[in-house]
């Protein structure tokens, strides 16, 4: 029987993956901007959380999760900080996290994306699965925000437009 080698090929580069993620973050930022201030913090449907609470979750996961991957230092999952019900403060935090993601990503040059990790000390998987979770979770919550906006009679940004702001 002949020896069959497992062939691997790279489908996407790490820099392309970061750009994909940042494209989603740009779109989510535009969704945040689109929300009326009060509804951002109070509006919900069917028992779901207000979008501001979902944004706090996203802020508590993305940058701290990537920092944990890069440094190897376990951190506690923290999905809250005092924002004083100010959308501007959450947007500032969003922009700061976006800059931090870029700086942290630059340190991942030789990262083994298949390396086993435990995110936030409680979620086992690989670097790759954690990164996909961070992105998928954002897309999921942004979809909820689209439903909120449409129910408020507000047209959300086009879901496919992830271009630079």
């Amino acid at each position: 029987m002949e020896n069959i080698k497992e062939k691997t090929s790279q489908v996407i580069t790490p820099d392309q993956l970061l750009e994909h993620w940042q494209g989603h973050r740009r779109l989510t930022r535009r969704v945040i901007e689109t929300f009326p201030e009060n509804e951002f913090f109070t509006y919900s449907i069917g028992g779901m959380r207000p979008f501001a609470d979902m944004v706090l979750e996203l802020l508590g996961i993305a940058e701290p999760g990537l920092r944990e991957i890069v440094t190897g230092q376990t951190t506690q999952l923290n999905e809250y900080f005092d924002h004083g019900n100010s959308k501007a403060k959450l947007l500032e935090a969003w922009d700061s996290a976006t800059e931090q993601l870029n700086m942290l990503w630059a340190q991942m040059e030789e990262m083994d994306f298949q390396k086993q990790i435990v995110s936030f000390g409680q979620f086992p998987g690989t670097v790759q699965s954690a990164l996909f979770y961070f992105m998928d979770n954002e897309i999921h919550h942004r979809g909820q925000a689209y439903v909120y906006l449409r129910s408020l009679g507000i047209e959300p940004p086009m879901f496919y437009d992830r271009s630079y702001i």
Side-chain angles (χ1 to χ4, degrees), residues 132-150:
F132 285 154
Y133 174 79
F134 302 163
M135 292 177 226
D136 291 346
N137 188 50
E138 179 178 333
I139 294 164
H140 161 72
H141 288 310
R142 190 174 64 233
Q144 292 173 303
Y146 273 57
V147 171
Y148 286 1
L149 287 170
R150 289 186 188 283

Side-chain angles (χ1 to χ4, degrees), residues 34-36 39-40 42-46 48-51 142-156:
T34 302
F35 257 86
E39 285 79 359
F40 181 61
T42 62
Y43 191 74
S44 71
I45 296 174
M48 293 189 298
R49 298 173 288 167
F51 188 47
R142 190 174 64 233
Q144 292 173 303
Y146 273 57
V147 171
Y148 286 1
L149 287 170
R150 289 186 188 283
S151 73
L152 290 167
I154 300 168
E155 183 70 23

Side-chain angles (χ1 to χ4, degrees), residues 25-43:
R25 290 185 60 79
R26 287 188 294 272
L27 179 54
T28 301
R29 188 186 198 288
R30 285 199 298 278
V31 171
I32 296 167
E33 289 175 325
T34 302
F35 257 86
E37 186 90 15
N38 183 56
E39 285 79 359
F40 181 61
F41 295 99
T42 62
Y43 191 74

